[in-house]
Amino acid sequence: MIVLAAVAVLLPFAAAFIGMIFGPTISHLLTPFARRVRRGVSPGTEPGRARILARRLPANGPALVAVLPVAASTVLTAVVAAVQWQHPRTRTGTLATVRTGGIPFGVSLDVDGTAAVVALLVCCVALAVQIYSVAYMRDDPRYSSYAAFISLFTAAMLLVVLSGDLLALYVGWEVMGICSYFLIGHYWHDRATSRAAVKAFLVTRLGDVGFLFGIFVLGLAAHSFEIRTVLSRVPSMSHTALVAGTLLLLCGLAGKSAQFPLHTWLPDAMAGPTPVSALIHAATMVAAGIYVVARLYPAFLFAPASLAVLGVIAAISMLGAALAALAQDDLKRVLAYSTISQLAYMGGGLAVGTRDGALFHLLAHGAFKALLFLGAGCIIVAVGSNMLSAMGGLRHAMPVTFWSMTVGFAALAGVPPASGFFSKDTILSQAWHAARQPGPKSDFGWFAYAPLRAGDHAGPAVPSWTGWLVLVAGLLTVAVTAAYATRTWLVAFFGERRSPGGAREASGLMRWPVAVLAVPALILGFFGLGSDRLRPELGMSLVSLLFVAAGAGAVFLVWNRDPALDPVRLLGPARPLLRDGFRLDAVYGVLVVRPVLALAEMVVHTDERAVDAAVVGTGRGARRLGGLLRRTENGNPQAYVSGVMAGVVLIVLAVVVLT
């Protein structure tokens, strides 16, 4: 099992290396074969299809390197997940141990229920993105590097998911950061895109600083960086170390998972290619923060203050991002803000004690968000614009995309029987229990990573107000989510067609991954019905459906009055504020950017007027002193002899006088 997991991690890494270095060479080697196909050498291939195949083979040489290893990793992780499902236990293996002179760290893998199922999610979404990108990026001259970075991104997330050591996990964590920079900034010649890449890199690095110190605090307190050892020693750690370490880890969650107040990078990151957005939002970078907190959840159970902080962050993020999504006109920015909101649901679930519920929603969200982003890419290719105002009436022209995205929007809004209904209501039910009965039980089940014995982790109670906060914010967010999901669905697929040309379905390589993803987005929720921890309660489900009906119904009524107009007009004068994300970027500009620039200008002024002035003044003084001495060295022999004689006379006089 450990060998299979290690190979699953190494294959995308090898694909990244080979694709980056040898991708163009592979394309060159395929050219002679393509020429033979054009001449009809390939048996059993129709001439028209032969010409198409021959034309695409050289360009898609790197695609073979990108798709096949990820497909192999998907098969391996499926085998690992199946074995883990049948025989649930933790399997560990250390590949290498690094001696540091202090606390050693190892390159090790831990495979349990959580790691197995999340690794399978990562590979499935990555495979869909790689296949989709073959068509979406086929005319891009930098496709080779693009596909290589996608593979490296996948390998880094798998390392985060399967790593058994905190420092090795951090390596994968940072590799994802640099990959996101290159992928978001793929269209680097566009100034807005390059700025978005830099912003994403800097904001996430800000959170990563706290994350790294959190690892150090927990590792030093446990005298080990091995995850299982750290968690087994949580009960004996000092409360101060636990609170400090877990709060610092939340900094990394806020950065990587785009939660308030470090969420502002994610909407701007939509400037990158659409398949990259699908990968980042569904299964890799933004899911990493939630996953790590779930992986280290026993430490958070002994630090209720950290869970309370997480609950506050989640409540602000889920409702604020949902309101911002309602006001967007850019389809990808709608989905970006919805990602922030849905990740906050997961954070809220962790805050109120349902670790399994949070992971269940992570899986469901990975399926339907990958579906929605890839479907959005099909629409954007068809109409030539990201703007909802340029869409409309696409349901007949794009039936596969329409029905697939209908499933995705239903899952996003929490409409049964789509997967989002089950996973979201599980979190809301636990929030209701936490509000009424503080002191949640640790719900270790099949997803469990539980090195502590049952009697060892009856952690302190989460404050009841945390449960109420998550519950109220969650229900309000249900209504707003249903509103913006319904609005996006209606504006994009119904009403009058506003695109200038004749829209049609995307190519099969783009269309069918979307259709396939609709299956788990629809049925994944039923897999939780067999567990008491993942089965939503009837009462909370009915309340949730009332909020869904209220949000969706209000938007439909406004839209139905005049389908040619966008129902977002109901926001009135509040729309500009919500569309700009409550203008937090402007606030950060005043509170952070301007003071930093002013400080930088002061440093430059001080450097020029003090440091540089001292250096330049020293040089000028030396030159002036040299100028004085230079006058004695004028090249006149008579002056030299006169000087020597004068010196002799002075010495003689001194001898006579002193003796």
Side-chain angles (χ1 to χ4, degrees), residues 139-173:
D139 296 324
D140 194 298
R142 298 175 58 240
Y143 171 76
S144 180
S145 63
Y146 164 88
F149 278 120
I150 291 287
S151 297
L152 185 59
F153 209 158
T154 305
M157 183 59 185
L158 287 174
L159 180 60
V160 170
V161 170
L162 298 170
S163 176
D165 189 274
L166 289 174
L167 291 182
L169 181 151
Y170 184 73
V171 171
W173 181 277

PDB file of all heavy atoms in Angstrom, residues 139-173:
ATOM      1  N   ASP A 139      -3.991  25.423 -28.770  1.00  0.00           N
ATOM      2  CA  ASP A 139      -3.315  26.428 -29.592  1.00  0.00           C
ATOM      3  C   ASP A 139      -2.347  27.284 -28.787  1.00  0.00           C
ATOM      4  O   ASP A 139      -1.819  28.269 -29.311  1.00  0.00           O
ATOM      5  CB  ASP A 139      -4.355  27.327 -30.269  1.00  0.00           C
ATOM      6  CG  ASP A 139      -5.239  26.559 -31.233  1.00  0.00           C
ATOM      7  OD1 ASP A 139      -4.705  25.639 -31.890  1.00  0.00           O
ATOM      8  OD2 ASP A 139      -6.446  26.865 -31.325  1.00  0.00           O
ATOM      9  N   ASP A 140      -2.124  26.923 -27.524  1.00  0.00           N
ATOM     10  CA  ASP A 140      -1.231  27.711 -26.680  1.00  0.00           C
ATOM     11  C   ASP A 140       0.214  27.298 -26.929  1.00  0.00           C
ATOM     12  O   ASP A 140       0.555  26.118 -26.800  1.00  0.00           O
ATOM     13  CB  ASP A 140      -1.588  27.503 -25.205  1.00  0.00           C
ATOM     14  CG  ASP A 140      -0.949  28.533 -24.298  1.00  0.00           C
ATOM     15  OD1 ASP A 140       0.298  28.578 -24.257  1.00  0.00           O
ATOM     16  OD2 ASP A 140      -1.675  29.285 -23.634  1.00  0.00           O
ATOM     17  N   PRO A 141       1.097  28.247 -27.262  1.00  0.00           N
ATOM     18  CA  PRO A 141       2.494  27.868 -27.530  1.00  0.00           C
ATOM     19  C   PRO A 141       3.247  27.398 -26.298  1.00  0.00           C
ATOM     20  O   PRO A 141       4.302  26.771 -26.421  1.00  0.00           O
ATOM     21  CB  PRO A 141       3.102  29.163 -28.099  1.00  0.00           C
ATOM     22  CG  PRO A 141       2.233  30.257 -27.551  1.00  0.00           C
ATOM     23  CD  PRO A 141       0.856  29.687 -27.473  1.00  0.00           C
ATOM     24  N   ARG A 142       2.725  27.667 -25.103  1.00  0.00           N
ATOM     25  CA  ARG A 142       3.399  27.282 -23.866  1.00  0.00           C
ATOM     26  C   ARG A 142       2.655  26.143 -23.167  1.00  0.00           C
ATOM     27  O   ARG A 142       2.724  25.994 -21.958  1.00  0.00           O
ATOM     28  CB  ARG A 142       3.528  28.498 -22.946  1.00  0.00           C
ATOM     29  CG  ARG A 142       4.361  29.616 -23.545  1.00  0.00           C
ATOM     30  CD  ARG A 142       4.390  30.864 -22.666  1.00  0.00           C
ATOM     31  NE  ARG A 142       4.901  30.575 -21.343  1.00  0.00           N
ATOM     32  CZ  ARG A 142       4.202  30.771 -20.221  1.00  0.00           C
ATOM     33  NH1 ARG A 142       2.975  31.245 -20.273  1.00  0.00           N
ATOM     34  NH2 ARG A 142       4.728  30.491 -19.057  1.00  0.00           N
ATOM     35  N   TYR A 143       1.951  25.331 -23.961  1.00  0.00           N
ATOM     36  CA  TYR A 143       1.197  24.231 -23.373  1.00  0.00           C
ATOM     37  C   TYR A 143       2.106  23.252 -22.638  1.00  0.00           C
ATOM     38  O   TYR A 143       1.725  22.691 -21.609  1.00  0.00           O
ATOM     39  CB  TYR A 143       0.409  23.495 -24.451  1.00  0.00           C
ATOM     40  CG  TYR A 143      -0.226  22.221 -23.946  1.00  0.00           C
ATOM     41  CD1 TYR A 143      -1.358  22.255 -23.155  1.00  0.00           C
ATOM     42  CD2 TYR A 143       0.343  20.981 -24.228  1.00  0.00           C
ATOM     43  CE1 TYR A 143      -1.931  21.092 -22.669  1.00  0.00           C
ATOM     44  CE2 TYR A 143      -0.215  19.811 -23.752  1.00  0.00           C
ATOM     45  CZ  TYR A 143      -1.352  19.869 -22.970  1.00  0.00           C
ATOM     46  OH  TYR A 143      -1.906  18.722 -22.480  1.00  0.00           O
ATOM     47  N   SER A 144       3.308  23.031 -23.151  1.00  0.00           N
ATOM     48  CA  SER A 144       4.216  22.059 -22.533  1.00  0.00           C
ATOM     49  C   SER A 144       4.511  22.426 -21.085  1.00  0.00           C
ATOM     50  O   SER A 144       4.403  21.590 -20.176  1.00  0.00           O
ATOM     51  CB  SER A 144       5.515  21.967 -23.337  1.00  0.00           C
ATOM     52  OG  SER A 144       6.404  21.045 -22.751  1.00  0.00           O
ATOM     53  N   SER A 145       4.869  23.684 -20.839  1.00  0.00           N
ATOM     54  CA  SER A 145       5.148  24.111 -19.465  1.00  0.00           C
ATOM     55  C   SER A 145       3.874  24.126 -18.634  1.00  0.00           C
ATOM     56  O   SER A 145       3.890  23.800 -17.441  1.00  0.00           O
ATOM     57  CB  SER A 145       5.805  25.488 -19.460  1.00  0.00           C
ATOM     58  OG  SER A 145       4.940  26.465 -20.003  1.00  0.00           O
ATOM     59  N   TYR A 146       2.763  24.493 -19.259  1.00  0.00           N
ATOM     60  CA  TYR A 146       1.478  24.499 -18.552  1.00  0.00           C
ATOM     61  C   TYR A 146       1.145  23.094 -18.027  1.00  0.00           C
ATOM     62  O   TYR A 146       0.835  22.910 -16.847  1.00  0.00           O
ATOM     63  CB  TYR A 146       0.391  24.999 -19.500  1.00  0.00           C
ATOM     64  CG  TYR A 146      -1.023  24.700 -19.057  1.00  0.00           C
ATOM     65  CD1 TYR A 146      -1.703  25.584 -18.230  1.00  0.00           C
ATOM     66  CD2 TYR A 146      -1.681  23.539 -19.465  1.00  0.00           C
ATOM     67  CE1 TYR A 146      -3.003  25.317 -17.820  1.00  0.00           C
ATOM     68  CE2 TYR A 146      -2.966  23.264 -19.064  1.00  0.00           C
ATOM     69  CZ  TYR A 146      -3.628  24.158 -18.243  1.00  0.00           C
ATOM     70  OH  TYR A 146      -4.906  23.882 -17.829  1.00  0.00           O
ATOM     71  N   ALA A 147       1.213  22.097 -18.913  1.00  0.00           N
ATOM     72  CA  ALA A 147       0.892  20.729 -18.506  1.00  0.00           C
ATOM     73  C   ALA A 147       1.866  20.219 -17.454  1.00  0.00           C
ATOM     74  O   ALA A 147       1.485  19.481 -16.532  1.00  0.00           O
ATOM     75  CB  ALA A 147       0.905  19.808 -19.731  1.00  0.00           C
ATOM     76  N   ALA A 148       3.136  20.625 -17.566  1.00  0.00           N
ATOM     77  CA  ALA A 148       4.131  20.195 -16.581  1.00  0.00           C
ATOM     78  C   ALA A 148       3.815  20.762 -15.205  1.00  0.00           C
ATOM     79  O   ALA A 148       3.918  20.063 -14.190  1.00  0.00           O
ATOM     80  CB  ALA A 148       5.523  20.615 -17.037  1.00  0.00           C
ATOM     81  N   PHE A 149       3.417  22.034 -15.149  1.00  0.00           N
ATOM     82  CA  PHE A 149       3.092  22.640 -13.852  1.00  0.00           C
ATOM     83  C   PHE A 149       1.813  22.044 -13.269  1.00  0.00           C
ATOM     84  O   PHE A 149       1.681  21.931 -12.037  1.00  0.00           O
ATOM     85  CB  PHE A 149       2.967  24.156 -13.989  1.00  0.00           C
ATOM     86  CG  PHE A 149       4.290  24.861 -13.964  1.00  0.00           C
ATOM     87  CD1 PHE A 149       4.708  25.633 -15.040  1.00  0.00           C
ATOM     88  CD2 PHE A 149       5.130  24.762 -12.865  1.00  0.00           C
ATOM     89  CE1 PHE A 149       5.928  26.291 -15.019  1.00  0.00           C
ATOM     90  CE2 PHE A 149       6.354  25.411 -12.830  1.00  0.00           C
ATOM     91  CZ  PHE A 149       6.757  26.177 -13.914  1.00  0.00           C
ATOM     92  N   ILE A 150       0.861  21.660 -14.112  1.00  0.00           N
ATOM     93  CA  ILE A 150      -0.335  20.966 -13.616  1.00  0.00           C
ATOM     94  C   ILE A 150       0.068  19.651 -12.950  1.00  0.00           C
ATOM     95  O   ILE A 150      -0.417  19.293 -11.865  1.00  0.00           O
ATOM     96  CB  ILE A 150      -1.329  20.714 -14.762  1.00  0.00           C
ATOM     97  CG1 ILE A 150      -1.942  22.031 -15.252  1.00  0.00           C
ATOM     98  CG2 ILE A 150      -2.415  19.747 -14.318  1.00  0.00           C
ATOM     99  CD1 ILE A 150      -2.936  22.651 -14.325  1.00  0.00           C
ATOM    100  N   SER A 151       0.973  18.913 -13.592  1.00  0.00           N
ATOM    101  CA  SER A 151       1.439  17.646 -13.019  1.00  0.00           C
ATOM    102  C   SER A 151       2.179  17.873 -11.704  1.00  0.00           C
ATOM    103  O   SER A 151       1.980  17.136 -10.727  1.00  0.00           O
ATOM    104  CB  SER A 151       2.351  16.925 -14.014  1.00  0.00           C
ATOM    105  OG  SER A 151       1.659  16.584 -15.196  1.00  0.00           O
ATOM    106  N   LEU A 152       3.037  18.891 -11.670  1.00  0.00           N
ATOM    107  CA  LEU A 152       3.765  19.191 -10.442  1.00  0.00           C
ATOM    108  C   LEU A 152       2.812  19.630  -9.333  1.00  0.00           C
ATOM    109  O   LEU A 152       2.990  19.272  -8.158  1.00  0.00           O
ATOM    110  CB  LEU A 152       4.803  20.282 -10.713  1.00  0.00           C
ATOM    111  CG  LEU A 152       5.744  20.640  -9.549  1.00  0.00           C
ATOM    112  CD1 LEU A 152       6.535  19.417  -9.095  1.00  0.00           C
ATOM    113  CD2 LEU A 152       6.688  21.763  -9.961  1.00  0.00           C
ATOM    114  N   PHE A 153       1.800  20.405  -9.695  1.00  0.00           N
ATOM    115  CA  PHE A 153       0.771  20.829  -8.741  1.00  0.00           C
ATOM    116  C   PHE A 153       0.097  19.593  -8.138  1.00  0.00           C
ATOM    117  O   PHE A 153      -0.115  19.509  -6.913  1.00  0.00           O
ATOM    118  CB  PHE A 153      -0.249  21.684  -9.482  1.00  0.00           C
ATOM    119  CG  PHE A 153      -0.928  22.716  -8.636  1.00  0.00           C
ATOM    120  CD1 PHE A 153      -1.506  23.830  -9.220  1.00  0.00           C
ATOM    121  CD2 PHE A 153      -1.021  22.595  -7.267  1.00  0.00           C
ATOM    122  CE1 PHE A 153      -2.131  24.793  -8.466  1.00  0.00           C
ATOM    123  CE2 PHE A 153      -1.656  23.547  -6.496  1.00  0.00           C
ATOM    124  CZ  PHE A 153      -2.216  24.643  -7.098  1.00  0.00           C
ATOM    125  N   THR A 154      -0.248  18.641  -8.981  1.00  0.00           N
ATOM    126  CA  THR A 154      -0.904  17.417  -8.518  1.00  0.00           C
ATOM    127  C   THR A 154       0.003  16.630  -7.579  1.00  0.00           C
ATOM    128  O   THR A 154      -0.439  16.153  -6.517  1.00  0.00           O
ATOM    129  CB  THR A 154      -1.284  16.552  -9.727  1.00  0.00           C
ATOM    130  OG1 THR A 154      -2.093  17.316 -10.628  1.00  0.00           O
ATOM    131  CG2 THR A 154      -2.035  15.318  -9.285  1.00  0.00           C
ATOM    132  N   ALA A 155       1.280  16.491  -7.956  1.00  0.00           N
ATOM    133  CA  ALA A 155       2.221  15.757  -7.105  1.00  0.00           C
ATOM    134  C   ALA A 155       2.380  16.434  -5.748  1.00  0.00           C
ATOM    135  O   ALA A 155       2.453  15.763  -4.708  1.00  0.00           O
ATOM    136  CB  ALA A 155       3.572  15.644  -7.806  1.00  0.00           C
ATOM    137  N   ALA A 156       2.434  17.768  -5.733  1.00  0.00           N
ATOM    138  CA  ALA A 156       2.598  18.499  -4.475  1.00  0.00           C
ATOM    139  C   ALA A 156       1.398  18.294  -3.556  1.00  0.00           C
ATOM    140  O   ALA A 156       1.552  18.096  -2.342  1.00  0.00           O
ATOM    141  CB  ALA A 156       2.801  19.985  -4.766  1.00  0.00           C
ATOM    142  N   MET A 157       0.186  18.329  -4.111  1.00  0.00           N
ATOM    143  CA  MET A 157      -0.999  18.112  -3.284  1.00  0.00           C
ATOM    144  C   MET A 157      -1.046  16.682  -2.760  1.00  0.00           C
ATOM    145  O   MET A 157      -1.427  16.441  -1.606  1.00  0.00           O
ATOM    146  CB  MET A 157      -2.266  18.422  -4.084  1.00  0.00           C
ATOM    147  CG  MET A 157      -3.549  18.293  -3.283  1.00  0.00           C
ATOM    148  SD  MET A 157      -3.578  19.404  -1.835  1.00  0.00           S
ATOM    149  CE  MET A 157      -5.114  18.889  -1.038  1.00  0.00           C
ATOM    150  N   LEU A 158      -0.651  15.728  -3.583  1.00  0.00           N
ATOM    151  CA  LEU A 158      -0.596  14.346  -3.103  1.00  0.00           C
ATOM    152  C   LEU A 158       0.412  14.193  -1.968  1.00  0.00           C
ATOM    153  O   LEU A 158       0.191  13.422  -1.025  1.00  0.00           O
ATOM    154  CB  LEU A 158      -0.235  13.407  -4.257  1.00  0.00           C
ATOM    155  CG  LEU A 158      -1.324  13.165  -5.295  1.00  0.00           C
ATOM    156  CD1 LEU A 158      -0.796  12.332  -6.453  1.00  0.00           C
ATOM    157  CD2 LEU A 158      -2.539  12.498  -4.671  1.00  0.00           C
ATOM    158  N   LEU A 159       1.522  14.927  -2.036  1.00  0.00           N
ATOM    159  CA  LEU A 159       2.492  14.890  -0.945  1.00  0.00           C
ATOM    160  C   LEU A 159       1.889  15.458   0.327  1.00  0.00           C
ATOM    161  O   LEU A 159       2.093  14.915   1.424  1.00  0.00           O
ATOM    162  CB  LEU A 159       3.748  15.671  -1.340  1.00  0.00           C
ATOM    163  CG  LEU A 159       4.865  15.732  -0.298  1.00  0.00           C
ATOM    164  CD1 LEU A 159       5.358  14.334   0.049  1.00  0.00           C
ATOM    165  CD2 LEU A 159       6.019  16.593  -0.799  1.00  0.00           C
ATOM    166  N   VAL A 160       1.136  16.545   0.218  1.00  0.00           N
ATOM    167  CA  VAL A 160       0.459  17.116   1.384  1.00  0.00           C
ATOM    168  C   VAL A 160      -0.530  16.109   1.967  1.00  0.00           C
ATOM    169  O   VAL A 160      -0.622  15.926   3.187  1.00  0.00           O
ATOM    170  CB  VAL A 160      -0.257  18.432   0.996  1.00  0.00           C
ATOM    171  CG1 VAL A 160      -1.167  18.899   2.125  1.00  0.00           C
ATOM    172  CG2 VAL A 160       0.751  19.515   0.656  1.00  0.00           C
ATOM    173  N   VAL A 161      -1.273  15.446   1.103  1.00  0.00           N
ATOM    174  CA  VAL A 161      -2.319  14.527   1.556  1.00  0.00           C
ATOM    175  C   VAL A 161      -1.734  13.293   2.223  1.00  0.00           C
ATOM    176  O   VAL A 161      -2.224  12.833   3.262  1.00  0.00           O
ATOM    177  CB  VAL A 161      -3.210  14.129   0.363  1.00  0.00           C
ATOM    178  CG1 VAL A 161      -4.157  12.999   0.751  1.00  0.00           C
ATOM    179  CG2 VAL A 161      -3.999  15.331  -0.125  1.00  0.00           C
ATOM    180  N   LEU A 162      -0.670  12.742   1.661  1.00  0.00           N
ATOM    181  CA  LEU A 162      -0.156  11.451   2.112  1.00  0.00           C
ATOM    182  C   LEU A 162       1.036  11.545   3.045  1.00  0.00           C
ATOM    183  O   LEU A 162       1.455  10.529   3.601  1.00  0.00           O
ATOM    184  CB  LEU A 162       0.234  10.599   0.899  1.00  0.00           C
ATOM    185  CG  LEU A 162      -0.906  10.242  -0.067  1.00  0.00           C
ATOM    186  CD1 LEU A 162      -0.363   9.614  -1.332  1.00  0.00           C
ATOM    187  CD2 LEU A 162      -1.911   9.321   0.602  1.00  0.00           C
ATOM    188  N   SER A 163       1.604  12.721   3.224  1.00  0.00           N
ATOM    189  CA  SER A 163       2.821  12.849   4.020  1.00  0.00           C
ATOM    190  C   SER A 163       2.573  12.470   5.471  1.00  0.00           C
ATOM    191  O   SER A 163       1.541  12.801   6.062  1.00  0.00           O
ATOM    192  CB  SER A 163       3.354  14.284   3.933  1.00  0.00           C
ATOM    193  OG  SER A 163       4.472  14.435   4.772  1.00  0.00           O
ATOM    194  N   GLY A 164       3.538  11.799   6.052  1.00  0.00           N
ATOM    195  CA  GLY A 164       3.469  11.443   7.468  1.00  0.00           C
ATOM    196  C   GLY A 164       4.313  12.331   8.348  1.00  0.00           C
ATOM    197  O   GLY A 164       4.404  12.112   9.557  1.00  0.00           O
ATOM    198  N   ASP A 165       4.934  13.372   7.770  1.00  0.00           N
ATOM    199  CA  ASP A 165       5.810  14.269   8.514  1.00  0.00           C
ATOM    200  C   ASP A 165       5.418  15.709   8.204  1.00  0.00           C
ATOM    201  O   ASP A 165       5.133  16.053   7.051  1.00  0.00           O
ATOM    202  CB  ASP A 165       7.275  14.037   8.118  1.00  0.00           C
ATOM    203  CG  ASP A 165       8.244  14.778   9.015  1.00  0.00           C
ATOM    204  OD1 ASP A 165       8.507  15.966   8.728  1.00  0.00           O
ATOM    205  OD2 ASP A 165       8.732  14.190   9.991  1.00  0.00           O
ATOM    206  N   LEU A 166       5.392  16.552   9.225  1.00  0.00           N
ATOM    207  CA  LEU A 166       4.955  17.931   9.044  1.00  0.00           C
ATOM    208  C   LEU A 166       5.872  18.717   8.124  1.00  0.00           C
ATOM    209  O   LEU A 166       5.404  19.547   7.333  1.00  0.00           O
ATOM    210  CB  LEU A 166       4.860  18.629  10.404  1.00  0.00           C
ATOM    211  CG  LEU A 166       3.703  18.189  11.313  1.00  0.00           C
ATOM    212  CD1 LEU A 166       3.820  18.855  12.677  1.00  0.00           C
ATOM    213  CD2 LEU A 166       2.366  18.527  10.678  1.00  0.00           C
ATOM    214  N   LEU A 167       7.174  18.499   8.192  1.00  0.00           N
ATOM    215  CA  LEU A 167       8.089  19.260   7.347  1.00  0.00           C
ATOM    216  C   LEU A 167       7.994  18.809   5.895  1.00  0.00           C
ATOM    217  O   LEU A 167       8.064  19.636   4.968  1.00  0.00           O
ATOM    218  CB  LEU A 167       9.524  19.127   7.858  1.00  0.00           C
ATOM    219  CG  LEU A 167       9.804  19.815   9.195  1.00  0.00           C
ATOM    220  CD1 LEU A 167      11.273  19.660   9.581  1.00  0.00           C
ATOM    221  CD2 LEU A 167       9.444  21.298   9.133  1.00  0.00           C
ATOM    222  N   ALA A 168       7.841  17.512   5.658  1.00  0.00           N
ATOM    223  CA  ALA A 168       7.629  17.041   4.288  1.00  0.00           C
ATOM    224  C   ALA A 168       6.303  17.561   3.745  1.00  0.00           C
ATOM    225  O   ALA A 168       6.202  17.928   2.562  1.00  0.00           O
ATOM    226  CB  ALA A 168       7.666  15.518   4.244  1.00  0.00           C
ATOM    227  N   LEU A 169       5.295  17.608   4.602  1.00  0.00           N
ATOM    228  CA  LEU A 169       4.016  18.201   4.212  1.00  0.00           C
ATOM    229  C   LEU A 169       4.200  19.655   3.805  1.00  0.00           C
ATOM    230  O   LEU A 169       3.619  20.118   2.816  1.00  0.00           O
ATOM    231  CB  LEU A 169       3.023  18.076   5.371  1.00  0.00           C
ATOM    232  CG  LEU A 169       1.602  18.608   5.192  1.00  0.00           C
ATOM    233  CD1 LEU A 169       0.637  17.794   6.065  1.00  0.00           C
ATOM    234  CD2 LEU A 169       1.478  20.081   5.551  1.00  0.00           C
ATOM    235  N   TYR A 170       5.028  20.375   4.551  1.00  0.00           N
ATOM    236  CA  TYR A 170       5.254  21.786   4.245  1.00  0.00           C
ATOM    237  C   TYR A 170       5.958  21.966   2.904  1.00  0.00           C
ATOM    238  O   TYR A 170       5.728  22.957   2.207  1.00  0.00           O
ATOM    239  CB  TYR A 170       6.079  22.440   5.360  1.00  0.00           C
ATOM    240  CG  TYR A 170       6.266  23.924   5.171  1.00  0.00           C
ATOM    241  CD1 TYR A 170       5.214  24.812   5.388  1.00  0.00           C
ATOM    242  CD2 TYR A 170       7.491  24.444   4.764  1.00  0.00           C
ATOM    243  CE1 TYR A 170       5.379  26.170   5.212  1.00  0.00           C
ATOM    244  CE2 TYR A 170       7.663  25.803   4.588  1.00  0.00           C
ATOM    245  CZ  TYR A 170       6.603  26.659   4.814  1.00  0.00           C
ATOM    246  OH  TYR A 170       6.765  28.005   4.628  1.00  0.00           O
ATOM    247  N   VAL A 171       6.807  21.026   2.533  1.00  0.00           N
ATOM    248  CA  VAL A 171       7.454  21.094   1.215  1.00  0.00           C
ATOM    249  C   VAL A 171       6.394  21.056   0.114  1.00  0.00           C
ATOM    250  O   VAL A 171       6.395  21.880  -0.810  1.00  0.00           O
ATOM    251  CB  VAL A 171       8.461  19.944   1.048  1.00  0.00           C
ATOM    252  CG1 VAL A 171       8.964  19.879  -0.391  1.00  0.00           C
ATOM    253  CG2 VAL A 171       9.633  20.113   2.007  1.00  0.00           C
ATOM    254  N   GLY A 172       5.474  20.087   0.199  1.00  0.00           N
ATOM    255  CA  GLY A 172       4.394  20.039  -0.773  1.00  0.00           C
ATOM    256  C   GLY A 172       3.525  21.272  -0.738  1.00  0.00           C
ATOM    257  O   GLY A 172       3.070  21.776  -1.775  1.00  0.00           O
ATOM    258  N   TRP A 173       3.300  21.790   0.448  1.00  0.00           N
ATOM    259  CA  TRP A 173       2.503  23.008   0.651  1.00  0.00           C
ATOM    260  C   TRP A 173       3.119  24.175  -0.122  1.00  0.00           C
ATOM    261  O   TRP A 173       2.416  24.925  -0.807  1.00  0.00           O
ATOM    262  CB  TRP A 173       2.452  23.281   2.147  1.00  0.00           C
ATOM    263  CG  TRP A 173       1.677  24.456   2.619  1.00  0.00           C
ATOM    264  CD1 TRP A 173       2.090  25.745   2.674  1.00  0.00           C
ATOM    265  CD2 TRP A 173       0.346  24.443   3.152  1.00  0.00           C
ATOM    266  NE1 TRP A 173       1.117  26.542   3.202  1.00  0.00           N
ATOM    267  CE2 TRP A 173       0.037  25.776   3.510  1.00  0.00           C
ATOM    268  CE3 TRP A 173      -0.595  23.454   3.366  1.00  0.00           C
ATOM    269  CZ2 TRP A 173      -1.196  26.131   4.061  1.00  0.00           C
ATOM    270  CZ3 TRP A 173      -1.825  23.812   3.926  1.00  0.00           C
ATOM    271  CH2 TRP A 173      -2.114  25.131   4.262  1.00  0.00           C
TER     272      TRP A 173
END
